Amino acid sequence: MRLAQRVSSIQPSATLSINAKAKALKAQGQQIISFGVGEPDFPTPHHIQQMAIQAIYRNQSRYTAVGGIDELKTAVADTIEADYGLRYTPEQVIVSCGGKQVLYNLMQVLLEPGDEALIPAPYWVSYPDLVTLAGATPVAVPCREQDGFKLTAERLESALTESSRMLILNSPCNPTGAHYSREELSRLAEVLRARQDLIIVSDDIYYRILFGGEPWCNLAMLDPQLRKRTVIVNGLSKTYAMTGWRIGYGLGDPAIIRAAVKIQSQSTSNPCSISQWAGVAALRGDQSEVKTMVASFEQRCRFVVDSLRSIPGVTCPQPAGAFYVFPNVSHYYGKQAQGYAVDSSLEMAEYLMEQAHIAVVPGGAFGEDRCIRLSYALAHEEIKEGLSRLAQALQELR
Ligand code: PMP
Ligand code: GLU
């Protein structure tokens, strides 16, 4: 069967593949502990579920406007005004089937062959492939562990070329949990101000999952000139434990949003009408469960980081948010145990899956092969057991 070349130009999503593998092994009766895919382990809050049920009974089950119902777009704009201090009109908002589709639309709208998109590494697995699908070139900008795996002004400056068209910044970051402070963003902004042709994609999907009272900030909030060419990507999946409902949203220049709606009109049309109404309840309703979830992630984060750092040879940057850790396990590369030779993050993930029955995502998929990613949105007992299996499996490598 002849398939289009674009299929072989990308990889399947590593996070979703690991999830599928862990689920298949569990179905065969294996006691797999899955630190694989990143999704909250909480149920969707009850009042959001109720709104969806009512939407079904009210027959809110027809096609909606392609870019989302006005009620949801207005709720998005009001939420962003409250949390970012920035006012957007509903014409500057698009609702899509997840933040992932917002990103897909944006790449289709903004990138052409020959364009480069700068992606600080470690990065979320899907960015390079989404850029490639638009025919453009993803350029990974390696960030150092001693910088907390964050992009610095110097690294940004030296990565910029005449072909640079886009910077994708994700804070708090998947996979590291790193968050850029206002000062750090200001230093990046100095470089960005000189490049008015550069579009900034600010993937803020974890912005509500910030620890220690850390104040939220992104590049659009720094000055109006940057705001004009920043597109905000966000969604309900993480904040409201709604990964399966598939509601994401984007905000930015009306011409960009109109173009994204046009692309969406020829692909998926509107996101699920029932999910959109549930989304209105999520954004307009009681936020106390979000606080509870964030507090629980923070508590688990402390335990996970302490446990990882107590394993000889493992280093782990301190996350400021999200629900991932990204430990450097390369101390154990070049070693062997039980017939497994481990020399890369992929081999490490395979070894851990087969021998310790824990699922982790290889750091190579995030552009940093020395690390592995663990999502700790699991019950405490599972985390404890999983980390003890990890520590043992690592120390068996000689
Ligand atoms: N951006 C980042 C950084 C993510 O981790 C995810 C994970 N799902 C997404 C975007 C997209 O999420 P969704 O499509 O569920 O909104
Ligand atoms: N973003 C989550 C993760 O990184 C969900 C899976 C995906 O969409 O990649 O695990």
Side-chain angles (χ1 to χ4, degrees):
M1 175 67 72
R2 198 198 74 157
L3 298 177
Q5 191 272 332
R6 81 176 61 81
V7 181
S8 51
S9 72
I10 61 166
Q11 298 296 321
S13 161
T15 44
L16 297 179
S17 309
I18 296 282
N19 195 33
K21 186 163 183 197
K23 278 189 174 158
L25 290 174
K26 272 188 197 170
Q28 288 168 18
Q30 290 202 29
Q31 301 292 312
I32 302 288
I33 295 183
S34 184
F35 293 109
V37 78
E39 57 182 342
D41 56 335
F42 296 97
T44 302
H46 185 68
H47 65 279
I48 303 176
Q49 298 175 332
Q50 283 296 347
M51 182 70 145
I53 291 165
Q54 281 167 26
I56 293 172
Y57 285 135
R58 284 201 303 258
N59 284 319
Q60 284 169 323
S61 42
R62 307 259 187 247
Y63 294 130
T64 72
V66 170
I69 55 175
D70 283 340
E71 289 82 349
L72 182 53
K73 291 200 292 185
T74 314
V76 164
D78 290 348
T79 303
I80 295 298
E81 183 168 19
D83 293 349
Y84 292 53
L86 303 175
R87 184 70 206 159
Y88 290 85
T89 62
E91 293 68 45
Q92 293 177 284
V93 179
I94 180 172
V95 182
S96 304
C97 307
K100 198 180 257 178
Q101 192 188 12
V102 178
L103 287 162
Y104 178 84
N105 290 337
L106 287 177
M107 304 308 160
Q108 296 295 318
V109 162
L110 294 165
L111 297 175
E112 300 209 80
D115 288 341
E116 293 177 354
L118 302 185
I119 309 177
Y123 46 72
W124 179 45
V125 286
S126 292
Y127 298 142
D129 295 305
L130 289 166
V131 170
T132 302
L133 279 176
T137 307
V139 177
V141 187
C143 302
R144 297 182 311 173
E145 190 173 347
Q146 63 261 45
D147 295 329
F149 284 130
K150 286 191 250 191
L151 181 66
T152 59
E154 298 71 43
R155 295 209 155 218
L156 171 60
E157 181 110 57
S158 61
L160 284 167
T161 70
E162 276 186 9
S163 305
S164 306
R165 169 76 175 131
M166 179 185 284
L167 167 69
I168 307 176
L169 205 66
N170 172 219
S171 169
C173 171
N174 176 3
T176 62
H179 176 242
Y180 290 73
S181 68
R182 180 171 279 271
E183 293 66 41
E184 288 164 336
L185 291 171
S186 301
R187 287 197 282 277
L188 296 179
E190 270 171 42
V191 180
L192 294 168
R193 279 194 195 101
R195 280 296 299 257
Q196 304 230 5
D197 54 335
L198 200 77
I199 300 275
I200 299 152
V201 171
S202 185
D203 183 342
D204 304 345
I205 201 150
Y206 298 100
Y207 87 107
R208 295 282 298 277
I209 310 177
L210 262 176
F211 306 149
E214 173 119 352
W216 161 242
C217 190
N218 81 355
L219 283 168
M221 291 154 75
L222 288 185
D223 79 46
Q225 195 254 54
L226 286 176
R227 176 187 167 179
K228 258 211 264 181
R229 51 199 174 90
T230 299
V231 190
I232 293 170
V233 177
N234 213 318
L236 307 181
S237 287
K238 317 293 173 173
T239 305
Y240 298 100
M242 290 178 71
T243 46
W245 298 72
R246 311 307 303 133
I247 296 291
Y249 56 86
L251 304 100
D253 182 286
I256 296 177
I257 298 300
R258 266 196 308 278
V261 170
K262 186 174 173 187
I263 296 280
Q264 190 161 299
S265 80
Q266 295 294 19
S267 53
T268 58
S269 304
N270 61 271
C272 168
S273 58
I274 311 299
S275 297
Q276 289 189 63
W277 283 103
V280 174
L283 294 176
R284 294 268 187 227
D286 179 17
Q287 304 293 309
S288 56
E289 281 182 69
V290 176
K291 275 202 186 134
T292 309
M293 291 192 260
V294 174
S296 161
F297 289 138
E298 183 165 6
Q299 207 175 25
R300 287 183 260 183
C301 181
R302 268 198 297 272
F303 175 76
V304 171
V305 171
D306 288 349
S307 307
L308 288 169
R309 286 181 176 166
S310 71
I311 304 173
V314 172
T315 54
C316 181
Q318 182 66 46
F323 34 72
Y324 308 105
V325 279
F326 201 55
N328 181 338
V329 293
S330 61
H331 172 78
Y332 293 96
Y333 293 179
K335 301 188 173 170
Q336 301 182 9
Q338 341 223 14
Y340 282 87
V342 174
D343 218 5
S344 66
S345 63
L346 189 61
E347 286 168 359
M348 177 62 87
E350 276 168 10
Y351 166 69
L352 292 173
M353 180 83 95
E354 300 298 331
Q355 292 303 314
H357 293 168
I358 57 176
V360 303
V361 190
F366 303 90
E368 175 48 88
D369 201 46
R370 293 171 301 163
C371 299
I372 53 175
R373 190 195 78 175
L374 283 74
S375 162
Y376 54 81
L378 305 178
H380 183 72
E381 283 314 307
E382 272 197 297
I383 295 179
K384 221 169 123 186
E385 167 64 19
L387 291 177
S388 119
R389 289 188 201 176
L390 174 71
Q392 192 182 338
L394 288 180
Q395 286 169 88
E396 277 169 16
L397 287 164
R398 313 255 155 194

